[in-house]
Amino acid sequence: MSGPLTTRRAVLHAGAIAATLTGAAWGAGSLYTGTRAVSGADGASRPVRIGYLPISDAAPLLVAHANGYYEDAGVAVARPVLFRSWSSLSEAFVAGKVEAIHMLMPMALYMRYELQADVRITAWNHTNGSSLTVHPEITDLAGLAGRTVAIPAWWSIHNVVVQKMLRAEGLTPVMRESPSTSARTVALVPMAPSDMLPALNNGVIGGYVVADPFNAAAEAKHVGTIHRFLGDVWRDHACCVTMLRGELLRDRPEQAAGFMDALVRAQAWARTNRPETAAVLASGYLPQPKPVIQRALTYTAAAHADALHHPDWHGESLDFRPYPYPSFTQELVRAMQDTVVDAPAGFLTGLDPATAHRELVDDALVTRSIARAGGWGAFGMHGTTRTEEIQA
């Protein structure tokens, strides 16, 4: 199939735009280096520095700041700084310009094993919260044959899950070639989330898979339709995780513990106060309007029946369940080993899933914080084990 949706030149141009935004975001991130407070010799009084992307996934970090939970926990925290791309956020984190972030979990594995960065996952930041949004003319997944789909990063749960979906439909994901309708191939291209909606509207891509509120925005503007929620494919999957730099955990343990208490408290509040959470996010933290953010936080199964194959999973609902389950890490490592990427992947060769969880995830603080915030039931959880459910 030819036409504007499959114009190779347009796709390459979109990639160039994404690269440009990455540079701009790094510039914005560098402003953060000037926000240091006067600190003692051990650095214990230095504010914790947070970086985030303008998506609803960042809600716990931002709610904790807006509601004063960090102060309540006795932790000095600088105002969170917004980055425009995952690459700029990860670069700032690895370089020590920020010390606490929400990050795509596959990217966290890449940081630890490919970059050998001194970072740890200390909690899940949220579950679900992402969708595959398609051009209005596409009515089924097969309609993506010969089209291009944007993903936020090669190492993202979005790329992992959308490839499972495509293969289940008999479609083949490709990277460095034009997609073909006859060969039933779908081209995948990384793109900054803020570029996805205009690219869909202009016919550059046939769909995108990303976090909200970009899916809600496409519906509100009648630019695209939500084809399937990713939580309906991988039940209660972790998309973004909370990551802390190792030096914060080692050298400032009281700050790290208080930070986690505040974050978990914010998750408990956000999951039961969704309209209020939308108001917080719209009060200067996210650039999207409040109605779009609230729409993303209050999807209903009834209103999106076509996007749900398993309505009892409630995959439409962004949720906050902070415990980092070992079963998920292990299944994710196996899934990443089967995922096509145009990025370094050698770190996955021979990586044992159970070892990866032990080395990357530190659940000591979050386990204590969950108990302080009301226990497992306050988050719809039932303990430290679960069975992964995946049905593409």
Side-chain angles (χ1 to χ4, degrees):
M1 179 181 296
S2 61
L5 284 172
T6 58
T7 302
R8 182 66 173 167
R9 181 177 299 173
V11 172
L12 292 175
H13 178 64
I17 292 174
T20 300
L21 283 182
T22 296
W26 177 253
S30 68
L31 295 176
Y32 203 26
T33 61
T35 62
R36 291 177 181 270
V38 176
S39 62
D42 62 357
S45 62
R46 187 173 71 232
V48 176
R49 299 165 296 178
I50 298 171
Y52 73 98
L53 255 64
I55 53 179
S56 52
D57 297 2
L61 293 166
L62 306 178
V63 164
H65 181 264
N67 287 4
Y69 294 163
Y70 296 124
E71 290 87 342
D72 290 348
V75 180
V77 172
R79 181 175 176 84
V81 170
L82 183 153
F83 289 77
R84 292 288 180 182
S85 73
W86 291 113
S87 57
S88 60
L89 177 59
S90 61
E91 288 166 8
F93 184 57
V94 171
K97 295 182 182 295
V98 291
E99 300 151 311
I101 61 172
H102 68 110
M103 177 51 61
L104 301 163
M105 186 160 176
M107 186 73 79
L109 286 155
Y110 173 83
M111 287 182 185
R112 170 63 179 82
Y113 290 103
E114 179 67 24
L115 302 182
Q116 297 294 305
D118 181 20
V119 298
R120 300 298 294 271
I121 293 172
T122 54
W124 282 4
N125 205 61
H126 70 99
T127 58
N128 302 334
S130 298
S131 307
L132 170 61
T133 293
V134 298
H135 194 277
E137 73 179 40
I138 296 174
T139 58
D140 55 36
L141 202 61
L144 287 174
R147 308 294 180 96
T148 295
V149 171
I151 57 175
W154 289 116
W155 291 127
S156 64
I157 193 68
H158 311 86
N159 189 33
V160 170
V161 173
V162 78
Q163 289 195 27
K164 287 180 177 291
M165 295 170 63
L166 294 174
R167 292 192 178 100
E169 187 64 27
L171 301 172
T172 301
V174 296
M175 299 174 297
R176 297 184 179 181
E177 59 188 83
S178 297
S180 166
T181 303
S182 60
R184 294 179 61 78
T185 58
V186 178
L188 300 176
V189 59
M191 189 177 291
S194 56
D195 276 349
M196 291 182 179
L197 191 150
L200 185 66
N201 187 40
N202 294 332
V204 174
I205 58 176
Y208 58 73
V209 54
V210 74
D212 266 309
F214 294 99
N215 305 290
E219 286 194 325
K221 294 177 179 293
H222 306 290
V223 170
T225 59
I226 293 176
H227 176 75
R228 187 129 180 236
F229 292 99
L230 298 198
D232 190 61
V233 179
W234 192 329
R235 185 173 188 175
D236 292 330
H237 65 279
C239 174
C240 287
V241 291
T242 301
M243 297 187 71
L244 301 182
R245 287 181 55 82
E247 61 194 30
L248 177 60
L249 290 165
R250 290 189 304 272
D251 302 339
R252 296 144 67 187
E254 291 185 1
Q255 276 191 315
F259 184 91
M260 190 56 55
D261 282 348
L263 182 81
V264 171
R265 181 183 175 190
Q267 292 198 26
W269 185 84
R271 72 191 310 264
T272 57
N273 295 277
R274 292 175 180 268
E276 294 83 358
T277 298
V280 166
L281 297 179
S283 67
Y285 293 102
L286 300 190
Q288 298 89 356
K290 179 183 173 183
V292 169
I293 299 172
Q294 183 162 325
R295 181 180 187 135
L297 293 176
T298 57
Y299 289 129
T300 64
H304 288 85
D306 292 342
L308 295 168
H309 296 186
H310 313 287
D312 58 310
W313 288 9
H314 292 290
E316 78 284 356
S317 181
L318 173 71
D319 207 348
F320 305 98
R321 299 180 178 185
Y323 186 76
Y325 287 97
S327 59
F328 179 81
T329 306
Q330 294 168 27
E331 188 59 37
L332 178 62
V333 170
R334 288 188 283 266
M336 289 171 64
Q337 291 168 336
D338 294 331
T339 300
V340 174
V341 296
D342 190 11
F347 70 95
L348 289 169
T349 303
L351 180 61
D352 175 66
T355 299
H357 183 83
R358 289 196 303 271
E359 293 179 345
L360 178 59
V361 178
D362 184 344
D363 65 5
L365 293 181
V366 72
T367 301
R368 188 200 70 162
S369 296
I370 289 170
R372 290 187 171 190
W376 301 100
F379 302 93
M381 300 183 297
H382 304 285
T384 59
T385 61
R386 74 174 201 178
T387 300
E388 301 305 312
E389 297 180 72
I390 307 172
Q391 294 186 25

